[in-house]
Amino acid sequence: MRRHPVALWAAAAAGYAFLYVPLIIVVVYSFNNSRLNAEWVGFTLDWYDKLFHNQEMLSAAGNSLLIALVASLVSTVLGTMAGVAMYRYKTRLLPILVLTPIAIPEILMGVSLLIFFVLLNFTLGLASVALAHIAFCIGFVAIVVRARLAGMDESLTEAARDCGATPWQAFRHVTLPLIMPGVIAGALMAFTLSIDDFVITFFTAGAGTVTLPLQIYSMIKIAVTPEVNAVSTLLMLLTLALIVIASRLTPSLLRSD
Amino acid sequence: MPGTSSHSAMTSRSSERFGKWLVSAPPLVYLLFFFAIPSLIMVLASFRTPGEFGGLSPLVEDGRLDLNLDSYVRFFTESVYAQIFVKSVWYALLTTLFCLLLAYPLAALIARSPKKYRDLLLLLVILPFWSNFLIRIYAWMIILGPNAAMARAVNGVLSWFGHEPVALLFSSFAVLVCLVYVHLPFMVLPLYANLEKHDQALLDAAQDLGANGWQRFRRITFPLSLPGVYAGAALVFIPALGIFAIPDILGGPEDSLIGNIIKQQFLETRDWPFGSVLSIVLTVAALVLAGLAAWVGRSQLGTRSSGALSRA
Amino acid sequence: MALLEIQNVSRRFGDFTAVDQVSIAIEAGEFFTLLGPSGCGKTTLLRMIAGFDLPDDGRILLNGEDLADRPPEQRPVRTVFQSYALFPHMSVEGNIAFPLQMAKTPAAEVPAKVQAALEDVRLIGFGKRYPHELSGGQKQRVAIGRALVTHPAVLLLDEPLAALDAKLREEMQIELINLQKEVGITFVYVTHDQTEALALSHRIAVMNKGRVEQLDQPAKIYSFPTSRFVADFIGKCNLLEGPVTASGNGVVTIDAEGLGPVRVASSAAVTGGKSGAIALRPEKIRVATSTSAVGATIAEPDRRPEAKPDGRSDTESNNHFRGTVTDHLYLGDVTVYIVSTPQGCKLETLLANSGAGRTKFFEVGDAVEMSWSVDAGHFIS
Ligand SMILES: Nc1ncnc2c1ncn2[C@@H]1O[C@H](COP(=O)(O)OP(=O)(O)OP(=O)(O)O)[C@@H](O)[C@H]1O
Ligand SMILES: [Mg+2]
């Protein structure tokens, strides 16, 4: 391996610093014994304590978890089906429907679903948010599953059929176990995407329903408070854990394809 | 063994066709219902008149069908919207440019690192992307806040020159920094994927021919990486164009972008037809630019020796 | 009635015909080989027998029953895939038990059957291993064991030995012959390796461009190719082309290009003037130094057994030509000599190196005399 020029090193180090310093500041100030996120005063866990007594925050977290569970469960099932169908059959429409929601700005999906739900007289709330989250998570799951299938020897499915398995048995006993890591990784991704989503939730939640990101939004619109740092730190920890597990399961997640 | 052939033939049996439907129908129906139809309704809504209390007026009133171009006319005649649109494109372009400047050294460093570190270095770029979007915006509220070290340092220097103190937060500066921050990973990934495939032998050959570091970059590395640059540009530009939360939280009153106006039309003014028009203009702009990037990227790849890109 | 009947089967991809009007009848207990160059449609034909692909025309019958409506899992036919296609998440036992489980074999009987299959393919003691812990040859055996465990009527093998090294391939060939004898199951074997086909099969169908060119026993195919393609594809072969000048009394004479009149035993009735060809195997040509006219030959070089024209004496060889050695290629057991005639015809000849330390009979530039008997070659019209 050749040596990197010093300039390249310095620029890349600056890039990593740019990426991480802001997040580290959020974490550090969550332990700061001061209302102002300005100067280090001393260590405290008060903000976390406050957080766990904040009824609004807790109910928002509960809503987020519930939505994320439902959305990741359903989108994993539908996304796996979509991934299998896209890999196995020549379908024109499905890839377009699955991939466009990922490619377009999120706000578009948010507002179109808002019109849709209101016109249908569908009450905005937990259900509408979950339905919306499922729609954009399907694509992410499908991509991971399809990548996993592409890495699988196609003759294995045929071998299963050859051994007397019906199409369903071949899927159940051979294909599914082999793509399972991809399915789980997709589920974790969907869970993360759902629990973190702000834009689509913002439009589809209606007035009465608050999720964690919506709660954070209304708090930071009013003022900067270390309580937000605390909840952010916890949320980051959760996401980090999920993503590390997911990337362990499918190393190809890291590659851009 | 021709793997794909099996399916075309096996699917001609009716039981296989049934299986195909069983697998593709549920996601297809779901997305038709919760993505395609809502999008079409939005297109339809853009040709309608706003209702008295927001939303849409009845489709058929006094025997007349309510379909018109009023909202489109409004968008193209009231210059304030065109200005906001241009400003949004300008911000998105600046974001793309700064992302490129920051991402290039990162991607190049990762691509040139020993294989065993590459995945880790790449993971480190992607991880912040997976942390909550609002948290990443919030982090900049802290950094740029009036009491934070950065604002005090800047204003300290300014006061030396007898300048009035400035606010970093709630400014175009804050919006742009955060836009770059949020979209940086989208630029690094395709760039890295491209740079990783470059053949080191090319650079060695160039060095042999007497090219210095900068010349090697300008004449070889950069032209070969253009497909990655275009892909990254599309991945940054499109979401940046539609963003509303960053100007909403970090920007001042004059930093409203098209995303903020859309949000306003739907949630405050409740003028759905006009909001739909703005959304459609945004979509068209995004798709045209993405298509352009893909097209330029492909023709670039075609004209330049693509063989040089593939070593494996 | 044949066990497996392929009747006028065709398969087209777009306007390309991969399998063209193929008819083959395979008997029970036969070791049948489909032989042909890459892309000639062997795999496509095999996939249609297995049910992964359907013919556009024609029928495939097993025991007289049309298989068209049966999906792969309902055909008493098993495939051994070239890539082995072992299930990576199952142990060797798991792989072999899989067809039994799919066939709803009572759980109590499964272990014994798996053991028997492991014994058949000589893999006792490997049952608990996973595919990634096996060598290529062992994986191949598992694939065969998995295919045999339910005693199918027909076993389809698509180039099963292609991925193995030469030595292991030879071992496995012998094992396959023995195994086939032992279990008595019909084998349909696909290969593009002609020596493998000749060594293993009871009968061979030589395919070219989707068609069956010749279908016969190995020895017949080797000695009496009926087309230029078969002559050229099966082993090395000199094709002497030219117009027929005489025929009758079981002998055809053609005026071979760059050579002159060549006589060959053939019962074919051909009229003079028509063009024809003689297929002549390199090892059937005798080569001797031509110093004087009276055949002051060097020691008659040893020959491979099949090159011995049985029952006839050397004096009966009545094709004689002179030439010069222009090239030679040492192949270990044999050496190939290219001999050119003054008129520019190049013939390939072959001499066995059976003498100790002997690697060469001739040098480039040596003048030599070639001869072969009338029944050494084979006339192709
Ligand atoms: N699904 C398909 N679509 C189009 N063409 C195909 C398809 N499957 C096979 N072919 C073509 O049919 C021809 C025969 O293919 P096949 O796989 O049967 O050859 P083969 O004799 O098995 O060759 P090999 O020895 O290389 O395996 C080839 O030219 C191939 O390109
Ligand atoms: Mg083949």
Side-chain angles (χ1 to χ4, degrees):
Chain A
M1 226 1 95
R2 60 184 42 224
R3 296 215 347 257
H4 306 132
V6 179
L8 181 62
W9 262 111
Y16 278 114
F18 179 63
L19 283 172
Y20 280 93
V21 167
L23 297 179
I24 292 169
I25 287 178
V26 171
V27 174
V28 168
Y29 280 141
S30 76
F31 299 107
N32 189 14
N33 199 355
S34 153
R35 252 214 162 273
L36 298 171
N37 276 311
E39 256 168 330
W40 181 257
V41 177
F43 182 86
T44 181
L45 287 174
D46 280 359
W47 304 114
Y48 290 89
D49 186 58
K50 262 205 153 135
L51 197 63
F52 286 108
H53 290 98
N54 182 338
Q55 217 44 54
E56 276 176 18
M57 191 69 96
L58 288 180
S59 92
N63 286 342
S64 275
L65 275 176
L66 184 65
I67 292 168
L69 271 176
V70 172
S72 58
L73 215 68
V74 179
S75 65
T76 301
V77 174
L78 292 176
T80 303
M81 290 172 136
V84 171
M86 274 156 57
Y87 175 72
R88 199 155 279 183
Y89 309 113
K90 287 192 200 87
T91 56
R92 291 256 177 77
L93 190 58
L94 191 61
I96 296 175
L97 283 180
V98 167
L99 301 177
T100 344
I102 299 178
I104 59 172
E106 266 186 297
I107 191 171
L108 295 172
M109 201 152 160
V111 295
S112 64
L113 280 168
L114 170 67
I115 304 180
F116 180 69
F117 285 131
V118 171
L119 284 185
L120 280 187
N121 268 328
F122 191 98
T123 318
L124 297 181
L126 289 179
S128 60
V129 174
L131 287 169
H133 283 193
I134 292 166
F136 79 85
C137 286
I138 287 177
F140 288 91
V141 178
I143 289 175
V144 183
V145 168
R146 188 175 61 170
R148 183 85 197 175
L149 277 168
M152 197 183 119
D153 181 0
E154 183 51 32
S155 56
L156 288 176
T157 321
E158 287 185 350
R161 297 290 301 279
D162 196 70
C163 285
T166 61
W168 165 245
Q169 284 173 320
F171 180 76
R172 165 82 189 69
H173 295 294
V174 175
T175 311
L176 188 60
L178 291 176
I179 60 170
M180 207 39 159
V183 174
I184 294 175
L188 293 174
M189 263 173 90
F191 188 89
T192 317
L193 285 165
S194 167
I195 210 162
D196 274 344
D197 179 75
F198 167 65
V199 177
I200 292 175
T201 315
F202 185 72
F203 288 100
T204 51
T209 309
V210 179
T211 65
L212 217 41
L214 293 184
Q215 176 71 18
I216 294 176
Y217 176 74
S218 58
M219 284 171 85
I220 62 183
K221 278 298 270 185
I222 297 165
V224 166
T225 140
E227 235 181 303
V228 176
N229 295 50
V231 69
S232 301
T233 303
L234 292 178
L235 204 50
M236 274 193 276
L237 268 180
L238 176 70
T239 318
L240 185 73
L242 292 175
I243 287 306
V244 168
I245 296 171
S247 66
R248 273 285 147 90
L249 290 172
T250 41
S252 65
L253 255 189
L254 294 181
R255 319 233 154 75
S256 48
D257 45 22
Chain B
M1 183 160 295
T4 47
S5 71
S6 61
H7 306 300
S8 54
M10 294 218 309
T11 47
S12 63
R13 231 179 324 245
S14 64
S15 65
E16 311 277 348
R17 261 200 312 271
F18 178 68
K20 172 183 171 175
W21 268 107
L22 216 59
V23 177
S24 12
L28 194 74
V29 168
Y30 192 94
L31 288 168
L32 272 178
F33 205 70
F34 290 105
F35 174 65
I37 293 178
S39 303
L40 290 178
I41 290 179
M42 192 171 77
V43 173
L44 196 66
S46 71
F47 295 104
R48 304 276 300 278
T49 311
E52 230 170 304
F53 308 103
L56 303 173
S57 65
L59 182 59
V60 183
E61 203 170 18
D62 308 331
R64 281 207 338 246
L65 204 60
D66 172 38
L67 286 178
N68 58 64
L69 288 172
D70 293 357
S71 298
Y72 286 92
V73 170
R74 180 169 164 215
F75 176 79
F76 287 106
T77 48
E78 288 181 29
S79 65
V80 56
Y81 296 109
Q83 275 166 17
I84 286 174
F85 190 71
V86 169
K87 197 201 292 171
S88 302
V89 173
W90 172 239
Y91 273 48
L93 277 175
L94 282 178
T95 305
T96 310
L97 183 70
F98 285 121
C99 278
L100 181 63
L101 288 177
L102 272 170
Y104 217 107
L106 274 174
L109 183 90
I110 300 172
R112 293 210 215 159
S113 300
K115 269 219 160 59
K116 53 180 174 175
Y117 298 129
R118 282 188 205 167
D119 278 358
L120 179 69
L121 288 172
L122 200 60
L123 181 66
L124 283 176
V125 171
I126 300 168
L127 267 186
F129 162 74
W130 283 102
S131 66
N132 189 292
F133 179 55
L134 286 172
I135 296 178
R136 284 178 287 158
I137 302 176
Y138 175 65
W140 287 101
M141 280 184 84
I142 300 177
I143 296 175
L144 301 175
N147 298 319
M150 193 160 155
R152 279 185 295 177
V154 168
N155 285 322
V157 171
L158 285 180
S159 71
W160 259 72
F161 293 98
H163 201 288
E164 290 285 299
V166 294
L168 298 180
L169 196 56
F170 310 123
S171 69
S172 320
F173 171 74
V175 172
L176 266 175
V177 170
C178 195
L179 275 171
V180 173
Y181 180 66
V182 163
H183 294 104
L184 185 58
F186 293 120
M187 186 62 95
V188 177
L189 284 181
L191 261 185
Y192 163 75
N194 175 286
L195 289 173
E196 186 217 28
K197 289 190 225 134
H198 284 208
D199 190 345
Q200 184 63 46
L202 274 178
L203 294 180
D204 291 342
Q207 195 165 23
D208 238 31
L209 296 170
N212 65 29
W214 168 247
Q215 286 169 326
R216 288 201 298 276
F217 173 75
R218 208 181 69 79
R219 304 287 294 273
I220 298 168
T221 308
F222 188 71
L224 281 176
S225 70
L226 277 176
V229 172
Y230 294 130
L235 285 181
V236 170
F237 187 88
I238 293 173
L241 194 60
I243 210 92
F244 87 90
I246 293 176
D248 191 72
I249 298 170
L250 295 177
E254 69 284 4
D255 289 311
S256 265
L257 300 183
I258 185 153
N260 302 79
I261 307 299
I262 292 175
K263 172 203 153 199
Q264 189 190 47
Q265 295 302 321
F266 278 101
L267 297 181
E268 288 147 33
T269 325
R270 305 233 329 125
D271 184 343
W272 284 10
F274 192 57
S276 299
V277 167
L278 293 171
S279 303
I280 288 164
V281 171
L282 172 61
T283 313
V284 170
L287 290 182
V288 164
L289 282 155
L292 204 67
W295 180 75
V296 174
R298 200 169 314 134
S299 59
Q300 286 283 350
L301 195 63
T303 51
R304 286 168 208 282
S305 154
S306 52
L309 285 172
S310 50
R311 180 164 37 164
Chain C
M1 186 183 61
L3 175 73
L4 181 66
E5 275 185 84
I6 297 163
Q7 298 176 342
N8 283 316
V9 164
S10 296
R11 177 78 173 105
R12 286 172 288 272
F13 298 108
D15 41 12
F16 174 78
T17 307
V19 172
D20 193 2
Q21 302 269 334
V22 167
S23 293
I24 298 173
I26 298 170
E27 303 295 333
E30 197 173 13
F31 197 126
F32 190 92
T33 297
L34 297 169
L35 172 67
S38 186
C40 73
K42 309 177 298 283
T43 298
T44 308
L45 186 57
L46 212 62
R47 293 172 60 82
M48 290 192 285
I49 301 173
F52 300 129
D53 207 340
L54 292 175
D56 294 317
D57 286 320
R59 301 195 303 166
I60 298 173
L61 308 180
L62 189 78
N63 281 320
E65 187 209 346
D66 194 337
L67 290 179
D69 293 330
R70 291 218 203 174
E73 64 268 24
Q74 286 170 24
R75 301 186 179 199
V77 168
R78 289 273 182 277
T79 308
V80 174
F81 292 81
Q82 183 177 338
S83 59
Y84 315 126
L86 299 182
F87 307 129
H89 58 304
M90 298 181 193
S91 66
V92 169
E93 282 177 355
N95 268 278
I96 296 180
F98 188 74
L100 294 169
Q101 287 155 354
M102 291 302 112
K104 304 230 157 50
T105 311
E109 296 171 23
V110 170
K113 293 196 170 177
V114 170
Q115 278 308 308
L118 284 174
E119 212 164 303
D120 278 344
V121 292
R122 307 204 290 115
L123 275 178
I124 296 290
F126 287 89
K128 298 276 181 268
R129 294 225 196 158
Y130 279 81
H132 67 267
E133 300 166 329
L134 300 175
S135 73
Q138 289 165 342
K139 284 183 197 164
Q140 190 60 72
R141 286 163 209 260
V142 178
I144 294 172
R146 183 177 68 182
L148 284 175
V149 70
T150 48
H151 295 284
V154 179
L155 196 64
L156 308 174
L157 303 103
D158 191 357
E159 313 211 17
L161 308 183
L164 306 182
D165 64 56
K167 199 163 140 49
L168 193 55
R169 191 153 58 221
E170 208 160 292
E171 272 176 46
M172 285 296 294
Q173 285 174 1
I174 295 170
E175 261 182 54
L176 274 177
I177 296 179
N178 293 336
L179 185 71
Q180 202 261 342
K181 261 190 224 144
E182 235 172 81
V183 297
I185 291 173
T186 309
F187 278 29
V188 179
Y189 192 94
V190 162
T191 183
H192 59 253
D193 178 345
Q194 37 105 8
T195 50
E196 191 168 288
L198 293 172
L200 293 176
S201 334
H202 295 141
R203 284 195 304 156
I204 298 173
V206 184
M207 289 183 67
N208 180 32
K209 295 185 179 155
R211 292 178 159 273
V212 174
E213 291 262 345
Q214 188 173 0
L215 196 164
D216 217 328
Q217 290 158 8
K220 291 267 181 55
I221 294 220
Y222 186 81
S223 303
F224 306 112
T226 54
S227 69
R228 275 160 228 221
F229 173 80
V230 176
D232 197 43
F233 188 70
I234 310 283
K236 300 253 178 195
C237 200
N238 295 297
L239 273 178
L240 313 173
E241 312 228 20
V244 175
T245 52
S247 80
N249 287 336
V251 173
V252 173
T253 308
I254 72 169
D255 186 18
E257 224 179 281
L259 209 56
V262 181
R263 288 154 54 81
V264 64
S266 170
S267 53
V270 268
T271 46
K274 274 201 142 177
S275 72
I278 294 170
L280 183 62
R281 300 276 175 209
E283 70 272 14
K284 305 242 171 158
I285 304 176
R286 259 159 302 177
V287 192
T289 323
S290 72
T291 40
S292 71
V294 201
T297 59
I298 58 154
E300 173 75 0
D302 297 305
R303 304 187 172 285
R304 301 175 124 189
E306 71 264 22
K308 278 244 158 69
D310 29 35
R312 291 178 185 251
S313 74
D314 286 357
T315 50
E316 258 181 86
S317 56
N318 33 24
N319 288 303
H320 281 271
F321 297 96
R322 283 164 193 259
T324 315
V325 174
T326 51
D327 250 320
H328 56 69
L329 189 63
Y330 175 63
L331 296 177
D333 51 345
V334 293
T335 302
V336 172
Y337 298 91
I338 310 292
V339 180
S340 302
T341 64
Q343 298 93 329
C345 174
K346 280 190 179 188
L347 287 184
E348 213 175 308
T349 68
L350 191 81
L351 296 177
N353 299 317
S354 56
R358 189 102 193 233
T359 61
K360 233 185 255 173
F361 292 101
F362 308 108
E363 291 294 342
V364 170
D366 283 1
V368 291
E369 203 160 285
M370 297 174 289
S371 62
W372 61 88
S373 61
V374 273
D375 57 1
H378 180 66
F379 179 74
I380 300 168
S381 56

